[in-house]
Amino acid sequence: MAVDSGQALLDLGDTSRAHQLITDGERLLSPARNKTKGVFLAYRAASYLDLKEPEPAAAAATQSLLLARHIGAPRCVSLVEDLLPRFQPYRHAQGVPELLQLAVA
């Protein structure tokens, strides 16, 4: 699956290619696979953080967190919560304060 390859590349530091594979994998999902979509969004957020792009990272993480809470997906919530310390240096970037506030709500 594209997202699995994307996550492997993310772990190896190839964030540009990883981001593309994760995005491709997300597009292939049916709407019934919302838990998987939440995971993909968290992976996308991580890849954007690796690229030092906090705004799209915050957008993806926020979307993942909202979706995870809505459908009751604790793994997705944990994935986003694990990313929160990486957002601290960017706490003034667009979308980051809102993500941090949402995470504690």
Side-chain angles (χ1 to χ4, degrees):
M1 178 174 243
V3 75
D4 295 328
S5 298
Q7 182 57 42
L9 288 173
L10 194 68
D11 293 340
L12 294 171
D14 187 355
T15 54
S16 296
R17 181 74 178 128
H19 180 253
Q20 184 59 49
L21 287 171
I22 292 166
T23 300
D24 291 347
E26 185 181 331
R27 285 187 194 129
L28 296 173
L29 288 176
S30 70
R33 305 274 319 266
N34 279 339
K35 285 184 184 179
T36 304
K37 183 177 182 178
V39 171
F40 287 6
L41 287 164
Y43 290 169
R44 184 188 306 181
S47 72
Y48 277 126
L49 284 169
D50 290 341
L51 294 170
K52 298 182 181 359
E53 296 182 21
E55 292 87 0
T62 298
Q63 190 176 357
S64 178
L65 186 57
L66 289 171
L67 179 61
R69 287 181 176 171
H70 178 72
I71 63 173
R75 177 178 175 222
C76 297
V77 171
S78 294
L79 287 171
V80 174
E81 287 175 346
D82 290 347
L83 292 175
L84 295 177
R86 296 181 59 194
F87 281 100
Q88 289 304 319
Y90 306 111
R91 61 186 169 273
H92 299 294
Q94 182 179 349
V96 174
E98 293 83 0
L99 169 63
L100 296 174
Q101 184 175 9
L102 177 66
V104 297

